[in-house]
Amino acid sequence: MTNEEITKLEFTAQKTQGSIINMLEKIKIFFSRSESKNLRAALPEKITKEIDSEPLLSSQAKVNTQHIVIHENENFLIYLTSTNDLGWKLNNIPEKARLALREFIFINGLIGLHINRLNKKNASIFLANTLNYCLTTKENYDAELIFKEIRDYVNSFVGSIKKRVIETPRFSVYLSRNNNIAWWYYQDIPEYMVDALEEFEVLKELSTTTLPQSYKYIVMNKLASALANAFNKDTNDKAKDCFRDVRKFLISKSESYLKLKLFLISISFSLLSLITVFFLCIYFPSAKIYAMGIGAGVIGAMVSSLQRNSFISLDSYAGEYSLYCESFSRIIIGAVFGCFLVFGIKSEIFLAPFKSNLQAIICFCFISGFVERFVPELINSVVKKNEQGSQA
């Protein structure tokens, strides 16, 4: 063979090899695409199976599906579901009962719209009994008249639900038109919710005793949301922790409100006391110095009360009357100490050098109201001097 022929053969072999490689690549791609299509076809089925096998969320979990049969015979079945809703199966409905059935369905819709699950059971049983009468009686009746009582009962609940915080097969939480919280659970309360419900009741009681009505909607709305979150938890700590932010909010608002209230009460009692002192100075001029001492003691007690107002302990809070008692007692102590100090100075029992200095007497009376230990310490010093003199 010549060199040219050898070159042509090599070129032809390379071309044939390239064609074979290209063909193999195409076959590989073809099978790869076919496999991909098969995988895509199998993917949804696989995903569906995986999803179906996974448990539902706790709020959507299947709960007690046993129904309570209310009325049953060969023609109909009326039962109560686990969520206190009515269910029914009807066969061979009498012609005269068709209007009653329409009333029944309409009122049942009203029950679901206006009545929470706490009160729904009684209304549902009442409605089921009415329909049972219409389906079983052989007497003629007026369907609208028969259902009027249950309709009026349901209409009495119109507007009772201000907000449906949450409704699930397991639990429900509602906010009523009076800003009260109503909740329902499908069975006995689980153990992990015991401490959370106790915290819920404590915070609710705290809000009603420390805050005015204007705060009620805000606080109850937060409490209802926290309760709904707690029901969705599965441990004691997680459920109770849902109320942590509500407690912080409630304590902050309560302390601010009580400080303002204590300030206003202290100012009111002080002003009344000063007005009384003013009239004493006018109508009893001879007792003017004592009245001025009382006034100075009252002012000192008021200033001391306002200074202490920066801290209020909710743990020791015993109600609104405790604020009145606390403010009034401080004013009384300031007035008594101020008057007593004037008597002590005038009789030269203590602070005798200031007997004729009216300004100094007023200052000491103010101090006696501001510092509650000032007068007791003066008395103790006099007692110690007398004891030392008797021993000598």
Side-chain angles (χ1 to χ4, degrees), residues 132-151:
N132 177 64
Y133 171 80
C134 296
L135 294 175
T136 56
T137 185
K138 295 181 179 180
E139 300 177 358
N140 293 325
Y141 57 84
D142 185 348
E144 292 185 1
L145 184 61
I146 291 293
F147 283 90
K148 183 179 185 304
E149 187 176 358
I150 178 62
R151 184 192 285 265

Side-chain angles (χ1 to χ4, degrees), residues 114-116 119 123 152-161 177:
H114 299 300
I115 302 181
N116 62 45
N119 303 314
D152 292 341
Y153 176 75
V154 174
N155 286 334
S156 66
F157 286 91
V158 173
S160 61
I161 301 177
R177 60 186 160 196

Side-chain angles (χ1 to χ4, degrees), residues 337 340 368 371-383:
F337 281 178
F340 176 78
S368 68
V371 183
E372 294 177 358
R373 293 297 306 166
F374 180 69
V375 171
E377 287 177 359
L378 282 177
I379 296 173
N380 289 334
S381 65
V382 172
V383 171

Side-chain angles (χ1 to χ4, degrees), residues 8-182:
K8 286 181 180 181
L9 286 174
E10 289 178 352
F11 177 76
T12 303
Q14 290 177 357
K15 186 176 181 181
T16 303
Q17 185 180 3
S19 299
I20 293 172
I21 292 173
N22 290 334
M23 184 176 66
L24 291 175
E25 289 291 335
K26 289 180 180 180
I27 293 173
K28 182 179 178 182
I29 292 171
F30 173 77
F31 282 110
S32 298
R33 288 178 179 175
S34 300
E35 185 179 359
S36 299
K37 289 180 180 179
N38 293 332
L39 288 174
R40 292 193 195 100
L43 187 60
E45 182 180 359
K46 182 180 179 182
I47 292 174
T48 304
K49 290 180 179 178
E50 288 179 355
I51 292 175
D52 291 340
S53 64
E54 289 180 353
L56 296 171
L57 295 176
S58 59
S59 61
Q60 299 173 339
K62 294 181 179 180
V63 296
N64 181 16
T65 56
Q66 294 180 354
H67 303 322
I68 301 174
V69 176
I70 304 174
H71 298 288
E72 181 182 14
N73 64 18
E74 66 277 5
N75 292 323
F76 64 85
L77 169 65
I78 306 174
Y79 58 90
L80 195 68
T81 68
S82 60
T83 56
N84 294 334
D85 294 311
L86 278 179
W88 59 90
K89 296 179 181 179
L90 305 176
N91 296 315
N92 302 322
I93 303 301
E95 187 66 28
K96 64 179 182 179
R98 294 189 180 277
L99 183 58
L101 181 60
R102 187 175 65 183
E103 284 288 322
F104 167 80
I105 295 174
F106 178 73
I107 295 175
N108 186 60
L110 292 179
I111 291 175
L113 184 64
H114 299 300
I115 302 181
N116 62 45
R117 288 177 180 170
L118 288 172
N119 303 314
K120 188 183 289 186
K121 184 176 182 179
N122 293 333
S124 296
I125 294 175
F126 189 2
L127 181 61
N129 292 338
T130 307
L131 179 63
N132 177 64
Y133 171 80
C134 296
L135 294 175
T136 56
T137 185
K138 295 181 179 180
E139 300 177 358
N140 293 325
Y141 57 84
D142 185 348
E144 292 185 1
L145 184 61
I146 291 293
F147 283 90
K148 183 179 185 304
E149 187 176 358
I150 178 62
R151 184 192 285 265
D152 292 341
Y153 176 75
V154 174
N155 286 334
S156 66
F157 286 91
V158 173
S160 61
I161 301 177
K162 187 173 185 178
K163 181 180 180 181
R164 297 175 188 267
V165 180
I166 190 170
E167 270 190 340
T168 73
R170 290 175 55 242
F171 60 88
S172 301
V173 181
Y174 307 92
L175 197 63
S176 70
R177 60 186 160 196
N178 297 325
N179 294 324
N180 293 320
I181 297 174

